[in-house]
Amino acid sequence: MKTTGTLLAALLLASTTPVLAEQFYKWVDDQGVTHYDSKPPQGQRPSEAVRTYGKASSDQAAELERLEQRRQANARADQQASEQARQEARERDHPDQVRQERCAEQRKNLDLLTNRPTLRIKNPDTGAMEVIDQARREKMLADTRKALEFCDASGN
């Protein structure tokens, strides 16, 4: 009886081993989505074998978040490139008007830098408003005055 039980347990263990050892593959498609399957992907797409025992885990949520971040970054880059192209075309087609607008903007900046005790500017990386310190104010003043020298020389 004891031998039969041992033999039966060994048979059950041997029959489940292939299930535990089944091979799974992980790969990322062209859209950045991570896939898992029992067969490797067709074609030349690289894949890696993954463990199928222990605690099941998935990094799909993290992959989707990274994909969304990449999409947003690409959209911002496309928008910046479009704005840059529009600005370059405007400078090419109406250089005097653009120069006058820039000179007016520099005069406005000089007024703000010299007359406002506290200045805040938007941080392009974080989007947060930050108070500029005195060293940065001095540099901005010097840059603005230099730009205005060009405006005065060109008669704008």
Side-chain angles (χ1 to χ4, degrees), residues 23-89:
Q23 188 72 39
F24 282 88
Y25 300 90
K26 171 185 169 183
W27 70 94
V28 179
D29 66 15
D30 293 334
Q31 287 76 39
V33 178
T34 302
H35 297 273
Y36 297 90
D37 201 348
S38 59
K39 295 177 228 140
Q42 297 295 323
Q44 299 295 331
R45 186 169 311 285
S47 64
E48 64 180 85
V50 293
R51 232 175 25 170
T52 60
Y53 55 89
K55 180 182 167 194
S57 66
S58 173
D59 59 354
Q60 185 172 5
E63 288 293 327
L64 287 173
E65 178 65 26
R66 283 192 289 272
L67 174 63
E68 183 60 28
Q69 289 172 352
R70 282 195 308 266
R71 285 180 178 162
Q72 289 175 358
N74 288 342
R76 282 190 303 271
D78 289 347
Q79 184 178 6
Q80 288 172 348
S82 175
E83 176 64 24
Q84 179 72 22
R86 187 188 67 76
Q87 191 69 358
E88 288 172 359

Side-chain angles (χ1 to χ4, degrees), residues 1-32:
M1 185 77 150
K2 206 174 196 184
T3 312
T4 309
T6 306
L7 187 58
L8 185 59
L11 260 170
L12 278 172
L13 183 61
S15 67
T16 60
T17 302
V19 172
L20 291 176
E22 187 174 354
Q23 188 72 39
F24 282 88
Y25 300 90
K26 171 185 169 183
W27 70 94
V28 179
D29 66 15
D30 293 334
Q31 287 76 39

Side-chain angles (χ1 to χ4, degrees), residues 96-155:
D96 291 334
Q97 181 182 2
V98 171
R99 191 178 311 111
Q100 288 174 356
E101 289 170 1
R102 286 185 180 161
C103 289
E105 186 69 28
Q106 293 297 336
R107 286 185 186 92
K108 180 181 169 187
N109 289 346
L110 181 63
D111 181 55
L112 290 173
L113 287 165
T114 54
N115 295 323
R116 289 243 178 126
T118 304
L119 285 176
R120 297 176 191 268
I121 59 172
K122 187 174 185 178
N123 182 322
D125 297 328
T126 64
M129 296 301 286
E130 298 176 349
V131 176
I132 62 170
D133 61 9
Q134 191 59 34
R136 188 166 181 191
R137 178 189 289 261
E138 291 300 325
K139 180 174 181 345
M140 292 171 74
L141 269 167
D143 292 344
T144 302
R145 287 183 178 127
K146 187 174 182 177
L148 283 172
E149 286 176 11
F150 174 76
C151 291
D152 294 338
S154 64

